Structures are given as C-alpha cells and as structure tokens.
Amino acid sequence: MLVLGIESSCDETGMALYSTSAGGALLAHALHSQVRMHQDYGGVVPELASRDHIRRVVPLLRKVLADSGCPLAAIDAVAYTQGPGLAGALLVGAAFAEALAMALDVPSVPIHHLEGHLLSPLLSRSPPRFPFVALLVSGGHSQLMRVSAVGHYELIGETLDDAAGEAFDKTAKLLGLGYPGGPALAALADHGRPGQVRLPRPMLKSADLNFSFSGLKTAVLTRVRELAPISEQQRADIARAFQEAIVEVLVSKALRAVASSGLKQLVVAGGVGANRELRRQLDAHAGRARIAVYYPELEFCTDNGAMIALAGALRLQAGTQAGKQAGAFAVRPRWPLSCC
Ligand code: KG4
Ligand code: ZN
C-alpha cells in the first residue's frame, strides 16, 4: 500500500510517500519551509501561511512522485493533517488531499498532527516498540503520553500554560533573537558561561507530571530589565541558563513518567526534540536508569509530511480509521490528542 502524506498545519508544507511493503519504507519526502517569508514579521502570519501552502502543494507532489518513481495512479490512500493548527493552513492541505483522494478514488485519512509527531521515531532504522512513553514538545504542545498502540494514547502530563517551544520562542524574542526562536536561542546558549545566571525550575518538585513554563519567561524578562543595557555575553549567559532550566524540568518529568508507568522506553518528539542539550541530558540520565530513549531523525523532529504518511499507513493497517462520507471533510484547529 502506497500512502501519500500531506502536512500544512503551520509554516511548513510537507509531502511524503510511504510504502507499507517489505516492512515499510519512506520512498520520498519533500518540504517547503516558510521561515524566511515570516521572518520579517517576527512570527507566523496565518493568511500568508495559507497562501503559500496553496503555491507549494502541487510542485511538492510532483517532486515526491518524481523522486520515488511512482506514478500518481499508484497512490492507494491520501493522509493529511486535519488539526490542530492554523485553520486556513489546515484547509489548504485538507481540501487538496480530499480532492486528490476523490479523483483517484482512494481513501482519505485525516491525521492528528501530534499523532504524527509521536509516531515519527518509528521512521528510524531502530524504532521503539509499543508500549512506550512519549514526551511531545513542540511549539504548541508539551505533553507526556502513554502510547499503547496506534490510536491508544493516554495523556499523563501536560503544560499548564506555555508549551516548551513557545517558551523558547518567547524567551528568544526577549533576548532580541529572530524567529524561529528555539534554534537561535540554543545556538546563543552555546556561548553562555555556566553558573552566571540562576533561573527557577518551575514545578520540578510537584508530585504530578505537569509542566509550567510561563514563569521562566517572566524570570528572564526581569533579569533582562535588571541588566539593561545587556551585553552580548550576558545575553548568552541568560540563554544558557534558560535552556538548562527548561531541559532539567523536561528530563526530570519525562524520566519520572517512564518510571511510574513501569515501561522502559521513552520517545521524544516535536520541534524541541531537536534540541541538542535536551538530547545530551536525556541520554545521560536515561542511561543510568536503564531507559532507552528514541528520537526521530533530526529532519523529522520539526513538521514534515513523512510522519503524516506513516501515521496514515499505520491507521489504515490497524483498521482504526473512522468511516466517513466521501468528499465531506472538516479541519479541527483545536483538537486534543486523547480524543482521536
Ligand atoms: O513541532 P514543530 O515543528 O511545530 C509545532 O508542531 O509546533 O515545533 C516547532 C517548535 C518551535 O517552537 C521551535 O522554536 C522549536 O520547536 N525548536 C527548538 C529547536 N528546534 C525547533 N527548540 C529548541 N531547540 C531547538 N534546536
Ligand atoms: Zn509540529
């Protein structure tokens, strides 16, 4: 079975072809990032995002067909991100996918964006096996989930305010860094000196598995104001302290979640999963606790079509796809994963 996957929930248009033959293989994937277009505005402009997705879908489809050598008629199903995300951006991918599925007379498979993220480590050469605990850390979400099988996701912890990626982005803005803030802040943190700035570790000691990151951002704001005018070195020191604080909380809660679940595998997914310091600390601490940690390939940490194609293929194989009227579709800009 050949599944086309389409991602258009935010500022990346992703397209991929996944084949379930011979144990499953990603045949081709292509991505267009809108980062440069939104940079002038300091963040994603939803209307510009939608219009750009419209421009990209057909050329990206042509590219994955050419790269894989598969004809259009070989596609057996079309999976697409139904939500959560920007309504207009989602509508572009959904309308394109549904129209294509109807024209080819194949099933369409609406996918939850976070399901795509949390299944993305299954694309790697040594994938985890169900069940596992997933730490989902993206621009819009920070959650801990117990994943028993495809479609069986139990929320065991989440942020009470900002998502981890959002905290990176907002703090980067406070430090005068561009959009997207996460990678820029991480790069600046490399030049920070250890022990120069002390920031809080919100909810580190709370008995639950929840997070809170908005206080950390406020602590950075206070520090920046105290130090004004801030030097380049001081900005780097703050970036380092911020990254250390957020990583310590994520590592501690994620490992506690694995321990309390009685499982031995942790999957890390979402854009913040690309953070090198998070990976370093998780590997070090998990190794001591004999927990295996799985990450998607770096290119599949942030938004992409491959994870949507994979999630669609797994849903079809598992037979957990809800039946729906041909041609009828809706996007779900707000959509809790535990409801899918
Ligand atoms: O998963 P993703 O591409 O989009 C959402 O579904 O939200 O995640 C994007 C988020 C942004 O907040 C971005 O700043 C953050 O992931 N991010 C990072 C890094 N790379 C991306 N945060 C910290 N360190 C990174 N290296
Ligand atoms: Zn995402």
Side-chain angles (χ1 to χ4, degrees):
M1 181 170 55
L2 184 65
V3 182
L4 175 71
I6 301 171
E7 156 63 32
S8 72
S9 65
C10 189
D11 57 350
E12 260 120 11
T13 324
M15 193 89 54
L17 278 169
Y18 183 87
S19 166
T20 57
S21 305
L26 183 65
L27 302 187
H29 71 99
L31 187 83
H32 176 79
S33 166
Q34 303 176 352
V35 161
R36 290 193 59 192
M37 184 179 78
H38 296 296
Q39 246 156 8
D40 293 346
Y41 305 93
V44 178
V45 183
E47 181 61 25
L48 292 182
S50 316
R51 291 176 189 212
D52 199 65
H53 286 306
I54 293 173
R55 277 194 288 274
R56 307 295 167 188
V57 279
V58 172
L60 286 173
L61 174 61
R62 290 209 173 107
K63 179 158 172 43
V64 292
L65 290 172
D67 289 354
S68 64
C70 298
L72 185 64
I75 292 172
D76 297 305
V78 183
Y80 64 94
T81 303
Q82 188 182 29
L86 302 171
L90 289 166
L91 273 170
V92 176
F96 182 69
E98 290 286 352
L100 186 61
M102 187 179 262
L104 295 174
D105 195 20
V106 298
S108 61
V109 194
I111 293 294
H112 193 294
H113 180 77
L114 294 183
E115 178 176 36
H117 273 306
L118 73 81
L119 296 177
S120 61
L122 300 177
L123 286 164
S124 38
R125 250 170 274 133
S126 45
R129 287 166 187 263
F130 297 114
F132 54 75
V133 170
L135 171 68
L136 259 173
V137 271
S138 70
H141 295 83
S142 293
Q143 300 184 331
L144 280 160
M145 317 271 318
R146 187 193 163 99
V147 180
S148 319
V150 174
H152 292 83
Y153 313 122
E154 183 196 345
L155 184 68
I156 53 177
E158 66 181 331
T159 182
L160 304 180
D161 40 57
D162 291 352
E166 189 180 2
F168 264 96
D169 293 338
K170 288 179 175 171
T171 304
K173 218 169 199 173
L174 287 176
L175 293 175
L177 300 169
Y179 153 87
L185 191 143
L188 182 61
D190 285 345
H191 303 286
R193 298 166 298 179
Q196 294 295 312
V197 179
R198 181 74 197 161
L199 292 174
R201 269 71 175 146
M203 295 184 72
L204 182 65
K205 302 261 185 274
S206 72
D208 56 25
L209 296 171
N210 292 331
F211 309 99
S212 165
F213 297 120
S214 70
L216 196 49
K217 174 193 66 195
T218 311
V220 169
L221 177 63
T222 309
R223 205 80 188 96
V224 168
R225 283 191 179 146
E226 280 167 4
L227 291 169
I230 188 168
S231 71
E232 193 54 29
Q233 184 60 58
Q234 286 169 327
R235 284 178 21 168
D237 294 342
I238 293 178
R240 180 180 177 131
F242 170 82
Q243 183 172 262
E244 273 172 10
I246 207 160
V247 163
E248 189 178 329
V249 176
L250 288 174
V251 169
S252 163
K253 292 269 162 132
L255 295 185
R256 236 195 288 161
V258 182
S260 63
S261 69
L263 302 177
K264 281 286 167 198
Q265 297 178 105
L266 174 68
V267 156
V268 182
V272 182
N275 185 273
R276 276 187 293 123
E277 184 59 17
L278 176 64
R279 289 181 174 219
R280 214 175 4 245
Q281 295 296 336
L282 266 178
D283 287 342
H285 288 84
R288 265 174 250 145
R290 298 190 183 280
I291 292 167
V293 191
Y294 297 85
Y295 308 94
E297 307 293 329
L298 269 182
E299 61 182 330
F300 300 138
C301 272
T302 43
D303 294 349
N304 63 86
M307 66 185 193
I308 303 303
L310 172 74
L314 294 178
R315 282 245 167 209
L316 284 167
Q317 280 181 324
T320 52
Q321 205 37 54
K324 66 183 204 40
Q325 203 187 332
F329 69 95
V331 295
R332 303 170 80 170
R334 290 177 180 278
W335 184 13
L337 181 56
S338 38
C339 302
C340 85

